[in-house]
Structure formats: structure tokens, C-alpha cells
Amino acid sequence: MSERFHDVAVTVNGEEVRERVDARKTLVDFLREDVALTGSHVGCEHGVCGACSVRVDGVVDTDEIADLQQAFIARNALQCGYCTPGMLLTAQELLARGGVPSREQIRTHLSGNYCRCTGYQAIVDAVEAVAQARAGAKR
Ligand code: FES
């Protein structure tokens, strides 16, 4: 077997996947092409724009971000939706810390996720609204 290919065994969304993979293949290409999960998007292909963000060694329970997804829709925090999967995961990572982050903290935390369409205002509004709602739910 060429050194360029490696046998990998990973668990993706609770299912074990075993594949022989080109060593140069990125995780997102592996997920999209070998595992047929196209929810993760490829943007810059350099790990800079955040579009391909995935959660590693963790489970994303869809209910966990349902309120975020609804807030994004309600506040038009997406247009083309290309950045949205990564944006949601990154926002959830901040919100999982608890509390109500300031708009500046939200912007700083999402600064690694590029959006070409919305201008970010609506995204910050949506994340802030969910933070406040979750904090209110805890009172
Ligand atoms: S909604 Fe289009 S890149 Fe963000």
C-alpha cells in the first residue's frame, strides 16, 4: 500500500466509518466525499474561513442547536447559507459556556467564521437573542 493512503476508522454521528484515505485529503473532503455528509461546506480550503467547522470528539444533538437554527431563520441571519453550518457550531461552542456574552464577545468568537452575505449584524442578533433566552430559561 502506498504511503499516501492510510486506513482510518472514525465514528461519525454515532456510526463507525472505515476507509482507506489519501493522506492529503482534508477532513471536510473525507466527510463530504467518503461519508456523503455534505452539511459541512468547503470555503477557503485553508482552514481560515470557518465554513468547514465540525465538532471533533463531541456529539451534536440536533436539539442542542434547534433554538439557534430558529433564531437564524427568524432574524435572517443567513442568505446563501454557505457559512451557516460552521457559524452555528461556533456560536453553540460560545453559548455552551453559559451566561450572556456581549455583542463584542460574540463578534470576537465568530471572527474566524466568514460570511459573505449578511454583514454579520443579523448573526450577532440571533446569537445574542438565544443567549438571552437560554439565560432567561435558567432563571
Ligand atoms: S450566508 Fe452566505 S456566506 Fe454567510
Side-chain angles (χ1 to χ4, degrees):
M1 175 171 57
S2 157
E3 285 185 354
R4 227 182 82 196
F5 290 87
H6 297 276
D7 289 322
V8 295
V10 290
T11 303
V12 180
N13 295 341
E15 300 213 13
E16 186 161 339
V17 177
R18 289 177 177 276
E19 288 287 342
R20 179 165 298 166
V21 182
D22 187 323
R24 298 171 305 170
K25 182 171 266 188
T26 63
L27 174 57
V28 67
D29 284 342
F30 169 74
L31 293 171
R32 293 177 59 86
E33 297 165 12
D34 298 80
V35 194
L37 293 174
T38 56
S40 301
H41 296 158
V42 180
C44 65
E45 297 193 72
H46 296 288
V48 173
C49 76
C52 64
S53 301
V54 294
R55 183 174 288 176
V56 175
D57 291 337
V59 176
V60 176
D61 177 352
T62 46
D63 289 341
E64 184 187 335
I65 59 170
D67 52 354
L68 259 177
Q69 290 168 313
Q70 284 310 314
F72 268 53
I73 294 166
R75 294 168 179 270
N76 297 318
L78 67 160
Q79 289 180 21
C80 74
Y82 206 77
C83 69
T84 307
M87 213 47 99
L88 289 168
L89 273 188
T90 308
Q92 173 55 17
E93 203 255 332
L94 174 65
L95 296 182
R97 298 175 190 173
V100 179
S102 68
R103 295 180 70 84
E104 192 52 39
Q105 288 169 319
I106 294 169
R107 284 183 179 281
T108 302
H109 190 78
L110 295 178
S111 60
N113 293 75
Y114 292 179
C115 177
R116 294 161 186 80
C117 307
T118 64
Y120 298 94
Q121 195 72 19
I123 293 172
V124 175
D125 291 348
V127 176
E128 184 182 45
V130 171
Q132 289 165 347
R134 289 183 184 178
K138 284 193 183 135
R139 281 194 203 119

